[in-house]
Amino acid sequence: MEMFYKIVTNIFGSGAVILGLVTLFGNMFLKKKGSDVLLSTIRSMMGFALIDGGSAILCAAIAPLTQCIFEGLNTKGVLQQMFPAYTACSAAYSGKIEIVFLLAMGVNALLVRFTKFKGFALTVHLQLFVAATFITFLSLTGLNPVLIIAIAAVCAGIYNWAAVSISHYYMVKTDMTDEFGLFVFDNWGMVLADGISRILGKSKDAEDIEFPKALMWMKDTFAAITVTMLLAYLLFGMIAGVDFVQTLAGTQFWWLYLILEAISFSAGLAIILYGVKMFVAEIIPAFMGFTEKFLPEAVVGLDYPVVFQYAPTSLMFGFIANLFGSVLACILMGVLNLPVLVIPGIQGQFFLGAIVGIFGNRMGGIRTCVVSAFLYGFITLFLISWMAPSSGVLFDAGAFYESAENPMFAFLLQKLLLALGL
């Protein structure tokens, strides 16, 4: 059992390894030359490593902003950020999570093989988050541990399959691509954007906005995001207080520290996007070789950043609108004195808001982009506040996953099983 656990955690727990193996065997099935197979596999793994490294830089840059928000709002609550949440789950349910992850992948493969919907999730860390969410909520039902793992695996596999299939439908509908889908936790945000677009109708495409000459620099995605983040840092830094920021900055000037953190955020994003281009160029053709052999017509589900290239301007608008919606929800929770205050983790506002903004813009233009991303951020925080007390180790750790989507399924399933008294 110990050796099995080591294999699961060291091999199948690594996104770079999983994607590298898919690329390796996919190219072998395509009967490519050995040198081409080797190069493609290396480039695929390097691309994922760049995404991983860029995400680490981005998360590190977000951390002080989150601290300023905590300090500035002078409150404690549940932090809306995936990695602290997953750390808490992993500490409590290590081993079970990885088993559910593997079994869920098998369930996903069966659904692809025997249904007309072909979404196959291949975003390893997000699949682990789904497995952890179901295990965490279902473990509070008191069911037999083996039964909990079985139910969690089936439900996680169904969710993974449905999430990719839904996102692929919207990617085709919005004329992005039919070559792959997304495995992200934003599917209800896509549905929300679709509904908002029907209400608001068509408006100007955010990507076609003509900026005044003095603002042409905003057409550069990274410059615009850097300035946006710097304003956010300065705003919450001033609310938290110069003395607090100076403590974070150490020997640096507090204002220089904030500038460098904003630049680090954009640098992390730039690395992520470069990594995406590298590994998508290898994984898509290789995956086709793999699926032709085992999963005919499967559509691979990839991570958030693969769609950033399609709409960099609406990405920025979606992030900002989502951030404002989330902050407003947080303030209202404080005013209403709700028992669980949810603190925006910023990382979720960026990735989730970006996706909703991009799809919203594609469906209805900038009005849909902004309104749907704002509402998504606002509603999500209240849903998390409602679910958090039933989340066990997550609530105890003061952390929660950024999206309310897959936790909501786990939460409702938990309540159903408890009501049935199983």
Side-chain angles (χ1 to χ4, degrees):
M1 186 65 185
E2 184 180 347
M3 181 56 67
F4 174 74
Y5 174 71
K6 277 190 174 181
I7 292 172
V8 170
T9 54
N10 285 276
I11 297 178
F12 296 101
S14 167
V17 172
I18 291 289
L19 292 172
L21 289 173
V22 170
T23 307
L24 173 65
F25 288 115
N27 282 314
M28 288 173 64
F29 293 144
L30 292 172
K31 298 181 178 179
K32 289 188 176 182
K33 292 189 301 182
S35 59
D36 290 339
V37 172
L38 178 62
L39 179 61
S40 180
T41 302
I42 291 172
R43 287 180 60 83
S44 174
M45 295 180 76
M46 281 182 61
F48 189 87
L50 284 170
I51 294 171
D52 227 16
S55 296
I57 294 172
L58 190 146
C59 290
I62 286 173
L65 180 57
T66 303
Q67 290 175 281
C68 287
I69 291 174
F70 268 111
E71 181 69 17
L73 295 177
N74 191 31
T75 187
K76 296 293 181 182
V78 175
L79 176 63
Q80 181 200 12
Q81 202 167 83
M82 285 187 178
F83 290 103
Y86 180 70
T87 298
C89 294
S90 183
Y93 306 110
S94 183
K96 293 180 181 178
I97 293 172
E98 288 79 10
I99 293 170
V100 169
F101 161 76
L102 284 176
L103 293 176
M105 187 174 280
V107 172
N108 191 171
L110 289 173
L111 290 167
V112 170
R113 186 69 181 83
F114 296 108
T115 72
K116 66 177 182 178
F117 300 107
K118 303 301 180 182
F120 186 76
L122 202 64
T123 309
V124 174
H125 64 293
L126 297 184
Q127 290 166 260
L128 284 168
F129 293 163
V130 173
T133 302
F134 277 102
I135 279 289
T136 299
F137 276 91
L138 295 184
S139 291
L140 299 178
T141 61
L143 292 175
N144 180 284
V146 175
L147 185 57
I148 289 173
I149 288 174
I151 295 173
V154 171
C155 292
I158 293 171
Y159 173 80
N160 297 352
W161 163 73
V164 180
S165 300
I166 292 169
S167 69
H168 182 248
Y169 165 78
Y170 279 111
M171 290 187 77
V172 173
K173 180 178 180 176
T174 55
D175 298 321
M176 289 192 205
T177 182
D178 65 352
E179 291 186 342
F180 58 87
L182 296 173
F183 180 62
V184 299
F185 308 140
D186 259 358
N187 297 283
W188 81 268
M190 299 173 199
V191 175
L192 174 66
D194 194 0
I196 295 295
S197 70
R198 297 173 191 274
I199 296 171
L200 298 181
K202 284 286 185 179
S203 59
K204 189 177 183 67
D205 191 322
E207 307 304 317
D208 294 333
I209 290 177
E210 292 294 332
F211 290 92
K213 287 185 178 180
L215 296 177
M216 282 303 291
W217 58 269
M218 290 188 70
K219 292 295 286 183
D220 183 297
T221 303
F222 299 113
I225 288 175
T226 300
V227 171
T228 302
M229 290 305 296
L230 178 57
L231 292 174
Y233 276 102
L234 289 171
L235 173 62
F236 288 105
M238 295 303 290
I239 293 174
V242 171
D243 290 341
F244 179 78
V245 178
Q246 187 62 65
T247 302
L248 297 178
T251 57
Q252 277 185 324
F253 292 118
W254 67 270
W255 50 269
L256 179 60
Y257 172 76
L258 295 179
I259 292 173
L260 292 177
E261 291 300 313
I263 291 173
S264 292
F265 183 95
S266 291
L269 180 59
I271 293 169
I272 288 172
L273 292 179
Y274 185 79
V276 165
K277 288 182 180 180
M278 180 181 286
F279 102 85
V280 166
E282 306 301 332
I283 195 71
I284 297 301
F287 188 75
M288 296 308 295
F290 180 82
T291 55
E292 284 174 11
K293 187 77 174 178
F294 297 105
L295 298 172
E297 301 179 2
V299 176
V300 60
L302 301 175
D303 204 350
Y304 293 87
V306 296
V307 298
F308 289 179
Q309 58 186 313
Y310 295 108
T313 303
S314 50
L315 176 159
M316 182 179 67
F317 282 119
F319 162 56
I320 295 170
N322 187 281
L323 178 61
F324 274 107
S326 300
V327 171
L328 178 59
C330 180
I331 293 171
L332 280 177
M333 287 177 190
V335 171
L336 297 173
N337 198 29
L338 294 188
V340 180
L341 184 70
V342 183
I343 308 298
I346 308 302
Q347 179 179 314
Q349 278 62 48
F350 177 75
F351 284 106
L352 299 171
I355 293 293
V356 176
I358 288 169
F359 278 92
N361 182 66
R362 284 274 183 161
M363 293 176 195
I366 190 167
R367 280 204 305 263
T368 299
C369 165
V370 171
V371 172
S372 55
F374 177 89
L375 290 175
Y376 183 91
F378 186 85
I379 295 169
T380 293
L381 258 69
F382 279 99
L383 290 176
I384 291 174
S385 179
W386 178 41
M387 293 185 288
S390 300
S391 65
V393 296
L394 290 175
F395 189 57
D396 294 339
F400 204 88
Y401 291 102
E402 291 156 6
S403 171
E405 185 172 282
N406 64 290
M408 180 59 70
F409 290 108
F411 170 76
L412 294 176
L413 182 58
Q414 178 204 73
K415 295 305 178 189
L416 175 63
L417 292 173
L418 288 172
L420 293 173
L422 298 176

